[in-house]
Structures are given as C-alpha cells and as structure tokens.
Amino acid sequence: MTSTGRAAEVRLSIPADSAYIAVPRSVVGNLAARNDFTLDAIDDLRIAVDEACSLLLPQSADGVLECVFEIAPPHLTVRTSAVVPNGWRPDTSSFGWTVLTALVESAAAESVGGRLTITVTASATAAETL
C-alpha cells in the first residue's frame, strides 16, 4: 500500500533503446516489493515488463517508450506504450507474447491513434495462491 493508503500512479518515459530497458524493470520490481508481492511474483512481473518493452522497442516510431505503473493494492498494472507504424500489432503467437501472458494475471494490446499500449496486471494476492 502507498504511504497515503491510496492508489498511486508512476509515469516513466525512456528512450527506445535496449540500454534503458533495465529502468522500467527496476521500477516495477521496487513498486511490487513495496506492495507485498512475493519474490517470485516480483521476478515474474519484471520479466513481463521486460517482454512488453522488448516487443515495442523496435517499433517505436518516435524513439520513446512510455510506462505507466498504476498501484491499487493488491493490484499492480503496467501500461507500456509507443507510437508505432500504422497497423502494427504484436504477434500474439510469438514466444515473447507467450512468456508475457504466462507471467501475469492479464495482458492485452490496444492501439489508439497510432499509439500501441501493452497492459499487464498482476496481483499480490494471486501470487500467494500459486
């Protein structure tokens, strides 16, 4: 839970360069740890965010990845987005997408106005029941 006991949101903008992928991975790990996720669940969420960023990275038309981390205990939702070429969607039969969806409670890709957003959601309570 946040220090105020309320939901919170963290926004991050990074260059679409593989050298910066560690930043959102670190942020989600820290936020999950602060919200009582198990160590295994934290690792799973880090990998899922890494996969989401990796799917968008080569497609980013403006060279920027945006990440929004929404904390609403016990849930943590991460929306990773980028401006992508017209009509591009991630291959949901790819290994990366399969890994991403296996590690979180839900994963989805949505395109609005040329910006593709990959949303992943995990729950600290779901991690306890696994």
Side-chain angles (χ1 to χ4, degrees), residues 23-33 42 45-46 49 69 76 78:
V23 176
R25 186 174 41 225
S26 295
V27 170
V28 78
N30 183 285
L31 294 173
I42 292 168
L45 199 47
R46 282 181 177 149
V49 167
F69 306 86
L76 180 53
V78 182

Side-chain angles (χ1 to χ4, degrees), residues 19-130:
Y20 294 94
I21 297 297
V23 176
R25 186 174 41 225
S26 295
V27 170
V28 78
N30 183 285
L31 294 173
R34 291 175 172 267
N35 286 280
D36 299 325
F37 279 68
T38 65
L39 292 177
D40 287 340
I42 292 168
D43 286 342
D44 288 349
L45 199 47
R46 282 181 177 149
I47 295 167
V49 167
D50 186 69
E51 288 297 330
C53 291
S54 295
L55 288 168
L56 289 171
L57 185 78
Q59 302 301 326
S60 177
D62 65 356
V64 176
L65 289 181
E66 302 286 338
C67 299
V68 177
F69 306 86
E70 296 174 3
I71 305 115
H75 302 285
L76 180 53
T77 299
V78 182
R79 288 179 171 69
T80 305
S81 66
V83 174
V84 297
N86 191 25
W88 182 84
R89 305 245 334 144
D91 179 1
T92 55
S93 65
S94 70
F95 178 74
W97 188 262
T98 301
V99 167
L100 190 151
T101 58
L103 296 172
V104 293
E105 285 180 55
S106 67
E110 178 183 29
S111 184
V112 176
R115 177 171 286 280
L116 189 110
T117 302
I118 297 175
T119 303
V120 297
T121 300
S123 169
T125 56
E128 293 172 1
T129 62
L130 294 177

